[in-house]
Amino acid sequence: NVFLTGEPGSGKTHTINRYVAYLRERDIEPAITASTGIAATHISGMTIHSWSGIGIKTILDKRELDRLASNKYVAPRILRAKVLILDEVSMLAPETLSMVDAVCRSVRHSLDPFGGMQVVLVGDFFQLPPIVKMESRESAQTELIETPKARFAYNSSAWMRASLAVCYLTEQYRQDDDTFLSILSAIRKGTFDEDHLCQLETRKVEHHAV
């Protein structure tokens, strides 16, 4: 099982597309999914929510799990899959990943993570996070305090059990301007400083009224 990550432009989607081609050459049809519809179109796949049958659910009880495990559309595609590819995993809530894991184990009658399928999770946790609701509680001073839930997919027990090998892509293919790349990287990592600001200032074009 693999977590494939790297900066924007490092070739994550290209690598996944090449891996899909590699599998298909060997008559292995992977399950190609993503956390959002737009991301799914980039890899010619479907959303993980649709593929697993969980839809917009945030909680999965045993009755619902049993129903999904016998669903005539969901069960066959999970049974067919030997490799599950999940793109833009950074935008997936931890409970969603856990539900996908539970469905796969139930359908495949296996206690192994994701029912024994190879799992390739793809994404960059420096990019867009999942949208989560905030749990509110009232303090002794009657002030409203917001307590966030566990937010990221790597907080899921399913992530931990999968024992993912991390593959970090370091080459940059989208840009070849080293100065611009250093600015983008600094913004991504939260290390933007005065030097980067000065570099941007050199590109500033003043507008003079006629």
Side-chain angles (χ1 to χ4, degrees):
N1 296 331
V2 170
F3 171 45
L4 179 67
T5 188
E7 295 188 11
S10 60
K12 295 186 295 297
T13 299
H14 174 77
T15 301
I16 287 303
N17 287 332
R18 293 297 303 143
Y19 185 48
V20 168
Y22 170 89
L23 292 171
R24 286 174 173 166
E25 287 169 2
R26 287 153 181 79
D27 294 324
I28 300 171
E29 185 62 29
I32 307 170
T33 71
S35 62
T36 68
I38 292 176
T41 62
H42 293 164
I43 56 173
S44 301
M46 61 194 303
T47 66
I48 187 66
H49 308 76
S50 178
W51 180 83
S52 65
I54 62 173
I56 61 172
K57 295 179 181 62
T58 56
I59 298 174
L60 198 61
D61 59 26
K62 188 178 186 307
R63 181 180 177 183
E64 187 64 21
L65 186 60
D66 290 342
R67 188 189 68 79
L68 287 175
S70 60
N71 183 285
K72 66 178 181 178
Y73 299 109
V74 174
R77 62 176 169 242
I78 292 179
L79 287 171
R80 281 196 307 268
K82 291 184 174 63
V83 181
L84 172 60
I85 297 171
L86 204 175
D87 198 12
E88 295 293 358
V89 71
S90 68
M91 298 180 68
L92 201 69
E95 57 268 24
T96 305
L97 188 64
S98 292
M99 286 192 291
V100 172
D101 171 52
V103 171
C104 290
R105 285 188 286 112
S106 180
V107 169
R108 298 169 73 89
H109 303 289
S110 171
L111 296 178
D112 293 330
F114 297 92
M117 284 185 288
Q118 181 194 29
V119 180
V120 181
L121 306 181
V122 188
D124 176 15
F125 284 100
F126 283 93
Q127 295 186 49
L128 291 173
I131 297 172
V132 296
K133 293 181 179 179
M134 306 294 282
E135 291 183 341
S136 299
R137 64 181 176 84
E138 195 171 2
S139 70
Q141 294 80 23
T142 67
E143 294 176 351
L144 201 60
I145 298 175
E146 292 184 331
T147 306
K149 295 180 179 179
R151 189 166 194 186
F152 296 100
Y154 56 71
N155 296 127
S156 166
S157 59
W159 180 289
M160 300 172 191
R161 288 196 307 272
S163 300
L164 298 154
V166 179
C167 296
Y168 199 108
L169 301 179
T170 57
E171 296 291 331
Q172 178 57 244
Y173 297 97
R174 196 172 294 167
Q175 299 288 340
D176 56 10
D177 185 325
D178 290 338
T179 300
F180 186 43
L181 281 173
S182 71
I183 293 172
L184 292 176
S185 182
I187 293 171
R188 175 178 180 267
K189 295 184 290 187
T191 58
F192 188 87
D193 58 22
E194 287 295 325
D195 289 339
H196 297 113
L197 181 60
C198 289
Q199 290 169 349
L200 287 178
E201 288 285 356
T202 65
R203 308 294 297 174
K204 186 177 179 180
V205 177
E206 297 288 352
H207 177 72
H208 300 283
V210 178

